[in-house]
Amino acid sequence: MKIYKDILQIAMPVMAENFLQFLMGMVDSYLVSHLGLVALSGVAVANNLITVFQAIFLALGGAVSVILASLVGRQQSAKLAHHATEALKLTILISLVLGLLTICFGRLFLLFLGAEKAVAHAGGVYLVLVGGTIAFLGLMVTLGAILRSLGKSQLPMYVSLVSNLLNALFSAVAVFVFQAGIVGVAFGTILSRLIACLILLRSIPFQFSKPSWKLDRELIRLALPATGERLMMRAGDVAVVAIIVSLGTAVVAGNAIGEALTQFNYMPGLGIATATVILVAQARGSHDEKRIREVVRASYLLSLGLMLLIATTIFLFSGPLSGLYTDDSLALEASSLVIVFSLLGSPTTAGTLIYTALWQGLGKAQLPFYATSLGMWFVRIGIASVLIFGFKWGLVGVCLATILDNFFRWLFLSVYFQKYTLK
């Protein structure tokens, strides 16, 4: 059917880009694992804070996609340069604030999460370097969103490929040749992102307008609830990590290994969710409610099928893959649990991703914000705390609570969509 072709035309390059982004994290984790469990745990905890920052930029990128795709749907391309310029300006402002906060308080935050001093020291070094230069990641996300909204989905994919190859090369040389340790891995990430930003910037097919001193109200209106939703999600993830830290360094490391591997499970869902945002925004711009419902149904079926395929593959090869990182029995056991529950939770994860994208594409990101706030803090963290500290279920409690959270959010968003009528 044409609807599946339209989705995959946007989603496939995004999937490849997500795959490459996940591969960058996997390469970093693999290189850091050669420095010991303390280094691996430190970088894992630090990356949880960096993913909070990334969530902010992804929310902003989603808002940019909604605005630009809606303009394309209404054939109002004259306004593209203005909104693109405002998006870059806002990205830079947010990056400066986050970078300064990371440099000043990053290491203290890791200690606040309950990390041991050695783990906090190792993670703090990585966090200050990568988090302090978070602007490069932010610009990559925003520039990629601009290009995808203009129908240039493949270009960000190619740039990600170049960036990942450079990251692997720079980091490996730094670790194995110059013995630069965590600092070397961090600089490999920074340099590869800088080069990617420069390539993407030169690829924008129009001249940016002169930036104003005012902020784009429409962009802020769309970005704020989406940012709130992402922050609730990532802040909740940080809280979950703080719970996992109480289970010991080996469990933290095993959870990090499992998450590094299962990130590939979510790759199709994230790519199709990006396509869903753009196609729904375009359909909204042309007032085509039937098209919106077709996109949602097809997007869920595609994401579920592809996610199950990858999750099953990761599960079947989980032993050898986890063994690449460590031979610690407790860490391997924790990694295995994360992989199994990721496979079991694929249907609910796909539902949450697609229906969140649906409401963002409709310009109503408030609903995902409410769903995530309730699901993360009351369902996931609440149930996980009870299962771990009350029933002593350990990491199993966290994994089970994650599935229940995704089911709750999927149900919440889908019920509201059944009542939705395009106005």
Side-chain angles (χ1 to χ4, degrees):
M1 292 177 62
K2 185 177 183 300
I3 187 66
Y4 291 97
K5 181 179 179 181
D6 292 342
I7 293 170
L8 291 175
Q9 187 174 8
I10 299 174
M12 290 301 289
V14 179
M15 289 182 204
E17 187 179 351
N18 288 336
F19 173 82
L20 294 170
Q21 289 291 337
F22 293 159
L23 189 62
M24 179 182 286
M26 190 175 179
V27 168
D28 281 354
S29 297
Y30 176 73
L31 293 172
V32 171
S33 69
H34 287 76
L35 306 174
L37 284 181
V38 170
L40 180 60
S41 299
V43 172
V45 176
N47 271 324
N48 275 277
L49 181 58
I50 292 174
T51 56
V52 174
F53 298 165
Q54 185 179 22
I56 296 174
F57 295 124
L58 288 173
L60 178 59
V64 173
S65 295
V66 170
I67 291 176
L68 298 188
S70 182
L71 290 174
V72 171
R74 296 197 301 264
Q75 298 182 344
Q76 296 179 348
S77 57
K79 297 181 179 180
L80 290 175
H82 167 72
H83 287 293
T85 301
E86 292 302 306
L88 287 185
K89 181 180 71 177
L90 187 56
T91 300
I92 293 172
L93 289 174
I94 294 173
S95 299
L96 290 175
V97 173
L98 296 178
L100 287 174
L101 288 174
T102 301
I103 292 172
C104 295
F105 305 108
R107 191 170 299 178
L108 291 176
F109 187 78
L110 298 183
L111 289 171
F112 174 76
L113 287 177
E116 299 173 3
K117 287 186 177 180
V119 172
H121 175 75
V125 172
Y126 183 86
L127 183 59
V128 167
L129 292 173
V130 177
T133 57
I134 200 67
F136 299 143
L137 176 60
L139 289 172
M140 282 182 65
V141 172
T142 298
L143 290 169
I146 293 172
L147 289 167
R148 278 190 292 270
S149 298
L150 299 176
K152 298 180 179 294
S153 298
Q154 293 185 352
L155 186 56
M157 175 189 69
Y158 295 138
V159 173
S160 289
L161 174 60
V162 172
S163 177
N164 277 269
L165 291 174
L166 291 176
N167 174 63
L169 176 63
F170 293 156
S171 298
V173 170
V175 171
F176 298 119
V177 177
F178 294 102
Q179 305 296 315
I182 291 177
V183 173
V185 174
F187 271 110
T189 300
I190 294 168
L191 290 175
S192 62
R193 286 176 177 169
L194 171 59
I195 294 172
C197 287
L198 295 176
I199 297 174
L200 289 170
L201 188 60
R202 289 179 62 87
S203 303
I204 300 297
F206 53 76
Q207 293 290 330
F208 289 99
S209 62
K210 183 179 179 180
S212 65
W213 290 102
K214 297 181 180 179
L215 295 177
D216 188 330
R217 290 187 177 182
E218 185 177 1
L219 181 60
I220 296 295
R221 180 184 66 82
L222 290 172
L224 274 180
T227 301
E229 189 270 335
R230 298 276 182 169
L231 283 177
M232 281 296 176
M233 184 67 189
R234 296 310 174 192
D237 285 340
V238 171
V240 170
V241 168
I243 295 174
I244 295 174
V245 165
S246 68
L247 302 176
T249 299
V251 175
V252 173
N255 181 71
I257 293 170
E259 289 188 345
L261 295 173
T262 57
Q263 283 184 96
F264 293 99
N265 300 356
Y266 313 131
M267 175 188 65
L270 292 171
I272 294 173
T274 300
T276 303
V277 170
I278 294 173
L279 292 175
V280 167
Q282 289 176 348
R284 180 173 67 94
S286 57
H287 299 281
D288 190 346
E289 183 173 334
K290 181 181 178 182
R291 169 78 168 178
I292 292 174
R293 295 185 181 277
E294 289 177 348
V295 168
V296 173
R297 182 169 55 253
S299 293
Y300 177 74
L301 292 176
L302 277 174
S303 61
L304 176 59
L306 292 173
M307 286 175 65
L308 283 173
L309 177 63
I310 296 177
T312 301
T313 303
I314 296 293
F315 169 73
L316 293 175
F317 295 96
S318 59
L321 289 173
S322 297
L324 293 173
Y325 293 87
T326 183
D327 57 1
D328 185 274
S329 59
L330 287 178
L332 290 173
E333 181 181 351
S335 175
S336 177
L337 279 174
V338 172
I339 292 170
V340 169
F341 275 93
S342 178
L343 170 61
L344 296 176
S346 294
T348 59
T349 303
T352 298
L353 287 172
I354 298 306
Y355 277 85
T356 296
L358 159 70
W359 287 108
Q360 290 172 348
L362 290 172
K364 299 179 181 295
Q366 297 92 335
L367 275 176
F369 170 73
Y370 299 146
T372 298
S373 299
L374 292 171
M376 174 59 77
W377 292 95
F378 288 95
V379 180
R380 184 178 302 196
I381 295 176
I383 292 177
S385 298
V386 171
L387 293 179
I388 288 178
F389 300 115
F391 291 91
K392 309 298 181 183
W393 281 22
L395 192 58
V396 173
V398 174
C399 296
L400 181 59
T402 299
I403 294 178
L404 294 175
D405 167 33
N406 282 322
F407 176 75
F408 166 79
R409 285 189 282 147
W410 178 24
L411 181 64
F412 182 98
L413 296 172
S414 61
V415 166
Y416 270 92
F417 183 58
Q418 296 305 316
K419 305 176 182 178
Y420 174 78
T421 301
L422 188 62
K423 298 178 182 178

